[in-house]
Short mmCIF file of all heavy atoms in Angstrom, two decimals:
data_model
loop_
_atom_site.label_atom_id
_atom_site.label_comp_id
_atom_site.label_asym_id
_atom_site.label_seq_id
_atom_site.Cartn_x
_atom_site.Cartn_y
_atom_site.Cartn_z
N VAL L 158 181.49 142.70 86.75
CA VAL L 158 181.08 141.64 87.66
C VAL L 158 180.00 140.82 86.99
O VAL L 158 180.04 139.58 87.09
CB VAL L 158 180.58 142.23 89.03
CG1 VAL L 158 179.90 141.15 89.84
CG2 VAL L 158 181.75 142.90 89.77
N ARG L 159 179.07 141.49 86.36
CA ARG L 159 177.99 140.75 85.66
C ARG L 159 178.56 139.83 84.57
O ARG L 159 178.17 138.69 84.38
CB ARG L 159 177.03 141.74 85.07
CG ARG L 159 175.83 141.12 84.26
CD ARG L 159 174.71 142.11 84.17
NE ARG L 159 175.08 143.45 83.83
CZ ARG L 159 175.29 143.99 82.67
NH1 ARG L 159 175.08 143.22 81.63
NH2 ARG L 159 175.62 145.23 82.48
N SER L 160 179.48 140.37 83.83
CA SER L 160 180.17 139.57 82.76
C SER L 160 180.87 138.35 83.34
O SER L 160 180.91 137.28 82.72
CB SER L 160 181.10 140.41 81.90
OG SER L 160 180.43 141.47 81.30
N SER L 161 181.46 138.51 84.49
CA SER L 161 182.24 137.42 85.06
C SER L 161 181.41 136.26 85.55
O SER L 161 181.89 135.13 85.67
CB SER L 161 183.11 137.95 86.26
OG SER L 161 182.29 138.16 87.44
N ILE L 162 180.11 136.48 85.85
CA ILE L 162 179.30 135.45 86.42
C ILE L 162 178.19 134.98 85.52
O ILE L 162 177.57 133.90 85.72
CB ILE L 162 178.66 135.86 87.78
CG1 ILE L 162 177.75 137.07 87.65
CG2 ILE L 162 179.75 136.05 88.83
CD1 ILE L 162 177.00 137.47 88.89
N TYR L 163 177.86 135.74 84.43
CA TYR L 163 176.85 135.30 83.54
C TYR L 163 177.41 134.33 82.46
O TYR L 163 178.56 134.45 82.05
CB TYR L 163 176.21 136.47 82.84
CG TYR L 163 175.15 137.21 83.62
CD1 TYR L 163 175.27 137.26 85.03
CD2 TYR L 163 174.12 137.93 82.96
CE1 TYR L 163 174.27 137.94 85.75
CE2 TYR L 163 173.15 138.63 83.76
CZ TYR L 163 173.24 138.59 85.10
OH TYR L 163 172.25 139.26 85.83
N GLY L 164 176.54 133.40 81.99
CA GLY L 164 177.06 132.38 81.06
C GLY L 164 178.11 131.51 81.72
O GLY L 164 177.96 131.18 82.92
N ARG L 165 179.13 131.14 81.00
CA ARG L 165 180.25 130.48 81.60
C ARG L 165 181.09 131.48 82.32
O ARG L 165 181.60 132.42 81.70
CB ARG L 165 181.10 129.74 80.62
CG ARG L 165 182.40 129.11 81.21
CD ARG L 165 183.19 128.34 80.20
NE ARG L 165 182.57 127.07 79.87
CZ ARG L 165 182.88 126.30 78.83
NH1 ARG L 165 183.76 126.72 77.99
NH2 ARG L 165 182.25 125.15 78.61
N PRO L 166 181.27 131.41 83.62
CA PRO L 166 182.06 132.38 84.40
C PRO L 166 183.47 132.48 83.82
O PRO L 166 184.01 131.59 83.23
CB PRO L 166 182.00 131.89 85.79
CG PRO L 166 180.79 130.94 85.87
CD PRO L 166 180.66 130.34 84.52
N GLY L 167 184.10 133.59 84.16
CA GLY L 167 185.47 133.78 83.76
C GLY L 167 186.06 135.11 84.26
O GLY L 167 185.52 135.75 85.14
N ALA L 168 187.22 135.49 83.72
CA ALA L 168 187.93 136.63 84.16
C ALA L 168 187.45 137.91 83.43
O ALA L 168 187.02 137.85 82.26
CB ALA L 168 189.43 136.44 83.99
N VAL L 169 187.58 139.03 84.18
CA VAL L 169 187.32 140.35 83.48
C VAL L 169 188.47 141.30 83.91
O VAL L 169 189.14 141.03 84.96
CB VAL L 169 185.93 140.92 83.90
CG1 VAL L 169 184.79 140.07 83.38
CG2 VAL L 169 185.85 141.06 85.43
N TYR L 170 188.62 142.38 83.24
CA TYR L 170 189.72 143.30 83.52
C TYR L 170 189.24 144.72 83.48
O TYR L 170 188.58 145.16 82.54
CB TYR L 170 190.85 143.14 82.57
CG TYR L 170 191.99 144.10 82.84
CD1 TYR L 170 192.78 144.01 83.96
CD2 TYR L 170 192.28 145.14 81.87
CE1 TYR L 170 193.76 144.97 84.20
CE2 TYR L 170 193.26 146.04 82.14
CZ TYR L 170 194.04 145.94 83.28
OH TYR L 170 195.06 146.88 83.50
N ILE L 171 189.63 145.54 84.52
CA ILE L 171 189.36 146.95 84.58
C ILE L 171 190.78 147.64 84.71
O ILE L 171 191.54 147.33 85.62
CB ILE L 171 188.50 147.31 85.76
CG1 ILE L 171 187.15 146.77 85.59
CG2 ILE L 171 188.43 148.88 85.86
CD1 ILE L 171 186.34 147.30 84.44
N ASP L 172 191.05 148.53 83.78
CA ASP L 172 192.31 149.29 83.74
C ASP L 172 192.10 150.65 84.43
O ASP L 172 191.22 151.38 84.07
CB ASP L 172 192.75 149.52 82.28
CG ASP L 172 194.19 149.90 82.18
OD1 ASP L 172 195.07 149.01 82.44
OD2 ASP L 172 194.50 151.04 81.79
N MET L 173 192.95 150.93 85.38
CA MET L 173 192.79 152.17 86.23
C MET L 173 194.01 153.04 85.97
O MET L 173 195.15 152.76 86.47
CB MET L 173 192.70 151.75 87.67
CG MET L 173 192.33 152.95 88.57
SD MET L 173 190.58 153.35 88.48
CE MET L 173 190.45 154.42 89.95
N ALA L 174 193.82 154.16 85.17
CA ALA L 174 194.90 155.07 84.94
C ALA L 174 195.41 155.71 86.27
O ALA L 174 194.62 156.02 87.17
CB ALA L 174 194.40 156.24 84.01
N GLY L 175 196.70 155.78 86.37
CA GLY L 175 197.26 156.26 87.67
C GLY L 175 196.73 157.57 88.15
O GLY L 175 196.51 157.78 89.34
N ASN L 176 196.47 158.53 87.23
CA ASN L 176 195.99 159.87 87.67
C ASN L 176 194.55 159.84 88.16
O ASN L 176 194.04 160.74 88.84
CB ASN L 176 196.14 160.88 86.50
CG ASN L 176 195.30 160.46 85.29
OD1 ASN L 176 195.59 159.46 84.68
ND2 ASN L 176 194.27 161.26 84.96
N MET L 177 193.85 158.71 87.89
CA MET L 177 192.43 158.61 88.26
C MET L 177 192.31 158.09 89.75
O MET L 177 191.23 158.16 90.33
CB MET L 177 191.65 157.69 87.34
CG MET L 177 191.54 158.26 85.95
SD MET L 177 190.70 157.12 84.81
CE MET L 177 189.08 156.99 85.56
N VAL L 178 193.37 157.51 90.24
CA VAL L 178 193.26 156.91 91.58
C VAL L 178 192.98 157.97 92.63
O VAL L 178 192.08 157.78 93.52
CB VAL L 178 194.57 156.17 91.93
CG1 VAL L 178 194.57 155.69 93.40
CG2 VAL L 178 194.77 154.99 90.98
N ASN L 179 193.67 159.11 92.60
CA ASN L 179 193.50 160.16 93.60
C ASN L 179 192.64 161.32 93.12
O ASN L 179 192.41 162.28 93.83
CB ASN L 179 194.88 160.68 94.05
CG ASN L 179 195.62 159.62 94.84
OD1 ASN L 179 195.07 159.01 95.69
ND2 ASN L 179 196.90 159.42 94.49
N LYS L 180 192.28 161.28 91.82
CA LYS L 180 191.44 162.36 91.31
C LYS L 180 190.08 162.40 92.02
O LYS L 180 189.57 161.33 92.34
CB LYS L 180 191.22 162.09 89.82
CG LYS L 180 190.46 163.24 89.07
CD LYS L 180 190.37 162.89 87.60
CE LYS L 180 189.66 164.00 86.81
NZ LYS L 180 189.60 163.79 85.38
N LYS L 181 189.55 163.58 92.24
CA LYS L 181 188.30 163.73 93.05
C LYS L 181 187.21 164.35 92.19
O LYS L 181 187.46 165.16 91.31
CB LYS L 181 188.55 164.52 94.29
CG LYS L 181 189.48 163.80 95.35
CD LYS L 181 189.56 164.62 96.56
CE LYS L 181 190.37 163.87 97.64
NZ LYS L 181 190.49 164.72 98.88
N VAL L 182 186.00 163.93 92.51
CA VAL L 182 184.79 164.59 91.93
C VAL L 182 183.79 164.71 93.10
O VAL L 182 183.97 164.13 94.13
CB VAL L 182 184.11 163.73 90.85
CG1 VAL L 182 185.08 163.66 89.64
CG2 VAL L 182 183.75 162.35 91.28
N ALA L 183 182.78 165.51 92.88
CA ALA L 183 181.66 165.67 93.87
C ALA L 183 181.00 164.31 93.97
O ALA L 183 180.61 163.69 92.96
CB ALA L 183 180.74 166.76 93.51
N GLU L 184 180.77 163.88 95.17
CA GLU L 184 180.10 162.58 95.38
C GLU L 184 178.74 162.51 94.69
O GLU L 184 178.27 161.47 94.22
CB GLU L 184 180.07 162.21 96.82
CG GLU L 184 179.50 160.82 97.15
CD GLU L 184 179.77 160.36 98.59
OE1 GLU L 184 180.37 161.11 99.33
OE2 GLU L 184 179.31 159.26 98.92
N ASN L 185 178.11 163.67 94.69
CA ASN L 185 176.71 163.77 94.09
C ASN L 185 176.76 163.49 92.58
O ASN L 185 175.75 163.16 91.95
CB ASN L 185 176.09 165.09 94.38
CG ASN L 185 175.72 165.26 95.82
OD1 ASN L 185 175.50 164.24 96.52
ND2 ASN L 185 175.57 166.46 96.28
N ASP L 186 177.93 163.68 91.95
CA ASP L 186 178.09 163.46 90.53
C ASP L 186 178.32 161.95 90.16
O ASP L 186 178.45 161.64 89.00
CB ASP L 186 179.22 164.29 89.99
CG ASP L 186 178.90 165.76 90.00
OD1 ASP L 186 177.72 166.12 90.05
OD2 ASP L 186 179.88 166.54 89.94
N VAL L 187 178.47 161.14 91.20
CA VAL L 187 178.74 159.72 90.95
C VAL L 187 177.40 158.94 91.10
O VAL L 187 176.72 159.01 92.07
CB VAL L 187 179.77 159.13 91.92
CG1 VAL L 187 180.03 157.69 91.65
CG2 VAL L 187 181.08 159.96 91.88
N SER L 188 177.11 158.17 90.07
CA SER L 188 175.86 157.33 90.09
C SER L 188 176.26 155.93 90.43
O SER L 188 176.64 155.11 89.57
CB SER L 188 175.12 157.40 88.71
OG SER L 188 174.75 158.74 88.39
N PHE L 189 176.13 155.58 91.71
CA PHE L 189 176.43 154.22 92.12
C PHE L 189 175.32 153.27 91.61
O PHE L 189 174.15 153.66 91.56
CB PHE L 189 176.61 154.12 93.63
CG PHE L 189 177.90 154.72 94.10
CD1 PHE L 189 177.92 156.05 94.58
CD2 PHE L 189 179.08 154.05 94.04
CE1 PHE L 189 179.15 156.59 94.98
CE2 PHE L 189 180.24 154.58 94.44
CZ PHE L 189 180.36 155.88 94.89
N VAL L 190 175.71 152.07 91.25
CA VAL L 190 174.77 151.12 90.61
C VAL L 190 174.42 150.04 91.58
O VAL L 190 175.25 149.50 92.31
CB VAL L 190 175.46 150.55 89.37
CG1 VAL L 190 174.46 149.60 88.64
CG2 VAL L 190 175.93 151.67 88.47
N GLN L 191 173.14 149.61 91.52
CA GLN L 191 172.72 148.49 92.42
C GLN L 191 173.44 147.22 92.03
O GLN L 191 173.86 147.06 90.87
CB GLN L 191 171.22 148.34 92.30
CG GLN L 191 170.37 149.45 92.97
CD GLN L 191 168.89 149.16 92.93
OE1 GLN L 191 168.40 148.35 92.14
NE2 GLN L 191 168.15 149.78 93.83
N LYS L 192 173.45 146.31 92.97
CA LYS L 192 174.06 144.99 92.75
C LYS L 192 173.41 144.29 91.57
O LYS L 192 172.15 144.18 91.54
CB LYS L 192 173.98 144.16 94.01
CG LYS L 192 174.62 142.77 93.93
CD LYS L 192 174.46 142.03 95.27
CE LYS L 192 174.97 140.63 95.25
NZ LYS L 192 174.85 139.97 96.52
N CYS L 193 174.23 143.77 90.72
CA CYS L 193 173.63 143.06 89.54
C CYS L 193 172.91 141.81 89.96
O CYS L 193 173.23 141.16 90.95
CB CYS L 193 174.68 142.70 88.51
SG CYS L 193 175.94 141.55 89.03
N ALA L 194 171.86 141.44 89.25
CA ALA L 194 171.05 140.26 89.61
C ALA L 194 171.85 139.01 89.43
O ALA L 194 172.84 138.99 88.67
CB ALA L 194 169.83 140.19 88.73
N ALA L 195 171.41 137.97 90.09
CA ALA L 195 172.08 136.64 89.93
C ALA L 195 171.95 136.14 88.50
O ALA L 195 171.02 136.61 87.75
CB ALA L 195 171.42 135.65 90.86
N ALA L 196 172.84 135.37 87.99
CA ALA L 196 172.85 134.88 86.67
C ALA L 196 171.55 134.16 86.37
O ALA L 196 171.05 133.43 87.19
CB ALA L 196 174.03 133.98 86.44
#
Side-chain angles (χ1 to χ4, degrees):
V158 170
R159 177 160 43 89
S160 297
S161 76
I162 60 176
Y163 278 30
R165 174 178 286 164
V169 296
Y170 176 68
I171 296 294
D172 196 69
M173 188 76 166
N176 62 294
M177 294 177 63
V178 172
N179 292 313
K180 186 176 181 179
K181 291 184 178 182
V182 295
E184 188 166 355
N185 289 337
D186 291 339
V187 181
S188 298
F189 288 97
V190 182
Q191 290 185 339
K192 181 179 178 180
C193 67

